[in-house]
Amino acid sequence: MGVHPLFLYCHCNKQIHIYRNYCGNVSYPKLIIDATGSVVKPFTKFGREKTKHVFLYEALAYDDDKKYGFTVSIMLSERHNSTSIFFWLSEWLNCNVQPPKDTVSDTSLALLSTTTRCFTQYSSLRTYYIQICVGIVIKE
């Protein structure tokens, strides 16, 4: 949790335990990550400074076979860049959880670059696209 800028990461032991069990029971763990700015209204911190736009980010695991999903972590944040999202997901991974093999998000560049850095061996989205996607297209 931090105040300048405002951020809050939230995942509990129960969520971690359920996610670990999920990963043990499926061959292809899937994580869906999205954000919305319509949940938290700006407010004044300590009676002095008004917050910027606060987004709620949610990471949801989804089981294709059983057709159900569950939240594994959330973040409230005034910052909406790949570094802030990376720190959140890195802290979640530090809870000794397996990274997902499939990640779904919108076309947000911050989410795409972050999930690439966090959940693959590639250091950037650019490297991933050049080495993997272009290779698939030209059938190396």
Side-chain angles (χ1 to χ4, degrees):
M1 182 172 152
V3 177
H4 296 290
L6 175 73
F7 71 91
L8 172 69
Y9 307 151
C10 186
H11 42 265
C12 67
N13 289 336
K14 183 94 171 164
Q15 287 170 298
I16 298 299
H17 178 72
I18 293 170
Y19 179 75
R20 285 182 187 145
N21 284 339
Y22 160 74
C23 288
N25 292 323
V26 298
S27 56
Y28 216 75
K30 180 188 282 188
L31 203 63
I32 301 167
I33 303 173
D34 199 8
T36 181
S38 63
V39 175
V40 180
K41 298 202 183 295
F43 59 93
T44 304
K45 295 186 277 188
F46 304 114
R48 295 181 179 192
E49 175 186 1
K50 194 164 189 170
T51 61
K52 296 178 183 171
H53 204 75
V54 177
F55 272 64
L56 170 65
Y57 291 81
E58 181 177 17
L60 176 102
Y62 187 75
D63 188 326
D64 283 322
D65 295 332
K66 295 181 181 175
K67 305 290 186 228
Y68 78 93
F70 57 93
T71 300
V72 297
S73 184
I74 63 168
M75 173 178 71
L76 291 171
S77 180
E78 279 186 280
R79 287 198 178 148
H80 317 295
N81 57 40
S82 60
T83 303
S84 299
I85 301 166
F86 179 81
F87 285 137
W88 164 51
L89 292 174
S90 295
E91 285 299 315
W92 178 70
L93 287 174
N94 283 337
C95 294
N96 197 26
V97 295
Q98 174 185 334
K101 291 186 179 178
D102 187 9
T103 306
V104 177
S105 70
D106 60 16
T107 57
S108 157
L109 192 55
L111 283 174
L112 292 171
S113 63
T114 298
T115 55
T116 301
R117 285 178 54 210
C118 266
F119 303 144
T120 73
Q121 69 270 29
Y122 301 99
S123 60
S124 72
L125 186 60
R126 180 185 195 101
T127 303
Y128 173 77
Y129 277 130
I130 291 171
Q131 292 183 1
I132 298 300
C133 298
V134 171
I136 290 170
V137 171
I138 62 172
K139 299 191 191 299
E140 284 189 344

